[in-house]
Amino acid sequence: SELTEGPAEVAARSAFLAEADRLKRIERATTLCDASRPENSAEHSWHLALYALVLGEHAPEGVSLSRVLRMLLLHDLVEIDAGDVPIYAQTTQGQAETEAAELAAAERLFGLLPEAEGAPLLALWQEFEAASTPDARFAKALDRFQPPLQNLASGGVSWLAHNATFEMVEARVGRAIARSMPAFWDHIAPRIRAFLG
Amino acid sequence: SELTEGPAEVAARSAFLAEADRLKRIERATTLCDASRPENSAEHSWHLALYALVLGEHAPEGVSLSRVLRMLLLHDLVEIDAGDVPIYAQTTQGQAETEAAELAAAERLFGLLPEAEGAPLLALWQEFEAASTPDARFAKALDRFQPPLQNLASGGVSWLAHNATFEMVEARVGRAIARSMPAFWDHIAPRIRAFLG
Ligand SMILES: [Ca+2]
């Protein structure tokens, strides 16, 4: 079916896409591989989608790569309102507050779209957050796998900033990686241990 | 099938993904919507994939959104070696040179991956470049639609830098947009005409 929407729906989609542009200004704790500057959450989301594309055929049985791609493209949009919380700075006390802020952000942002479009995208974001399905767990594993690779390449900028130990990396990201991508955790774990000593 | 690859293939994929990180340092002629800095090609690729996600259900009959997403995630990787050529700076003479440089870049970059993975991605990039299928034409239309929206939001930074007229915008991007997304060209054409006078 060719596009036959009225101008109001066209305008709503354009407004959402312009608002999404602000994700390019959200800085993360990790840097580019060459350590030249912090990575932003928009280019990080692109990189993760590329990870899914290149590693996706080896996802656990039954994972839908197309749904994983969509989750990864959307997963950080809430940071436009709620900011990025570095994984090594997360506390149990802060977590409930962050979750409330992110849910409000998701409702505002996906609410900019026509209802029939926004509601399924909000549900997809919630599925990712809850890690409640194999698709979401694989998407989470990729989200946990990319930062250690950036750290290994950059000289560990964000690990050093948060005094990370191998045990911290293993607890905060290693388990999520190993659950969906064991060969990739086996590949990087010895390198992380060697780096963090 | 769970991942059972040997370390060499894991290492090849990790090397490709680390190399792809360099796309975050390629600057485009367009800026962020707030005009604060030039957009880079990695975050641009993310934004386009989000465009596909939000606008894709209204693509022409038969378009595979999943293939469009993959094309958009890959389409600018060649700029790591070949750089970005702003659309209003393209010349007929320069075009053959650019195409040769981009093909060499594509062969080098996708050649970093195991053959069985790299070859289909190279073919997908070539399909996009040739705009030879409905999927590729829709992906191209999105690639043409996003920069005018960024220009309208930012005060026309890259239009002004290249002395663009409405007729230039119509010829270089309008036709490709109108071919796959007529309602969206109808939505922005009057605004572009009003802005460029
Ligand atoms: Ca381009």
Side-chain angles (χ1 to χ4, degrees):
Chain A
S1 67
E2 214 152 296
L3 176 68
T4 51
E5 284 185 316
E9 295 221 331
V10 174
R13 285 163 208 270
S14 300
F16 171 83
L17 290 166
E19 185 73 7
D21 189 71
R22 294 171 58 200
L23 193 61
K24 299 168 189 169
R25 300 202 62 191
I26 304 296
E27 286 191 354
R28 294 168 45 80
T30 42
T31 65
L32 304 195
C33 284
D34 65 4
S36 57
R37 62 166 174 80
E39 188 183 36
N40 72 59
S41 291
E43 63 198 6
H44 165 72
S45 298
W46 164 77
H47 209 177
L48 286 186
L50 197 67
Y51 270 65
L53 210 152
V54 166
L55 306 177
E57 65 179 82
H58 303 287
E61 193 74 43
V63 165
S64 159
L65 182 55
S66 162
R67 297 188 78 246
V68 168
L69 277 177
R70 286 161 202 243
M71 279 182 201
L72 291 172
L73 293 170
L74 298 173
H75 83 291
D76 271 344
L77 278 174
V78 294
E79 296 179 1
I80 288 171
D81 290 350
D84 175 56
V85 182
I87 197 158
Y88 300 109
Q90 283 167 16
T91 61
T92 315
Q93 306 96 289
Q95 197 175 335
E97 242 172 273
T98 301
E99 280 174 15
E102 290 185 344
L103 179 59
E107 287 172 346
R108 181 184 81 76
L109 287 160
F110 296 121
L112 296 172
L113 288 167
E115 169 76 15
E117 177 99 16
L121 296 185
L122 176 62
L124 200 61
W125 174 79
Q126 289 176 306
E127 179 182 333
F128 173 83
E129 278 300 300
S132 56
T133 60
D135 292 351
R137 284 190 289 274
F138 185 64
K140 284 261 182 202
L142 294 171
D143 191 34
R144 298 294 182 259
F145 181 58
Q146 186 255 11
L149 279 198
Q150 299 292 112
N151 264 299
L152 285 168
S154 71
V157 177
S158 75
W159 285 335
L160 299 176
H162 294 98
N163 298 310
T165 61
F166 177 78
E167 288 68 30
M168 282 167 67
V169 176
E170 187 173 44
R172 301 248 173 158
V173 308
R175 282 172 209 157
I177 299 168
R179 188 166 51 176
S180 289
M181 315 166 58
F184 286 82
W185 177 243
D186 290 347
H187 175 64
I188 61 169
R191 293 161 68 198
I192 298 170
R193 197 189 291 273
F195 183 87
L196 291 174
Chain B
S1 69
E2 215 152 296
L3 176 68
T4 51
E5 284 185 315
E9 295 223 329
V10 173
R13 285 163 206 269
S14 300
F16 171 83
L17 291 165
E19 185 73 7
D21 190 71
R22 294 171 58 201
L23 193 62
K24 300 168 188 169
R25 300 202 62 190
I26 304 296
E27 287 192 354
R28 293 168 46 80
T30 43
T31 65
L32 304 195
C33 285
D34 66 5
S36 57
R37 63 166 173 79
E39 188 183 36
N40 72 59
S41 291
E43 63 199 6
H44 165 72
S45 298
W46 164 76
H47 209 177
L48 285 186
L50 197 66
Y51 270 65
L53 209 153
V54 166
L55 306 177
E57 66 179 83
H58 303 287
E61 193 73 42
V63 165
S64 158
L65 182 56
S66 162
R67 296 188 78 247
V68 168
L69 277 178
R70 286 161 203 243
M71 279 183 202
L72 291 171
L73 293 170
L74 298 174
H75 83 291
D76 271 344
L77 278 174
V78 293
E79 295 179 2
I80 288 171
D81 290 349
D84 175 56
V85 182
I87 197 159
Y88 299 108
Q90 282 167 15
T91 62
T92 315
Q93 306 96 289
Q95 198 175 334
E97 241 172 274
T98 302
E99 281 174 14
E102 290 184 344
L103 179 59
E107 287 172 346
R108 181 184 80 77
L109 288 160
F110 296 120
L112 295 173
L113 287 168
E115 170 75 16
E117 177 100 17
L121 297 185
L122 176 62
L124 200 61
W125 174 81
Q126 288 176 307
E127 179 182 333
F128 172 83
E129 278 300 300
S132 56
T133 60
D135 291 352
R137 283 190 289 274
F138 185 64
K140 283 261 181 201
L142 294 171
D143 191 34
R144 298 295 182 258
F145 181 59
Q146 186 255 10
L149 279 197
Q150 298 292 112
N151 265 298
L152 285 169
S154 71
V157 177
S158 76
W159 285 335
L160 299 175
H162 292 99
N163 298 308
T165 61
F166 177 77
E167 288 68 30
M168 282 168 68
V169 176
E170 188 173 41
R172 302 247 174 159
V173 308
R175 282 172 209 158
I177 299 168
R179 188 166 52 177
S180 290
M181 317 167 58
F184 285 81
W185 177 243
D186 291 348
H187 176 64
I188 62 168
R191 293 161 69 198
I192 298 170
R193 197 189 291 274
F195 182 88
L196 291 174

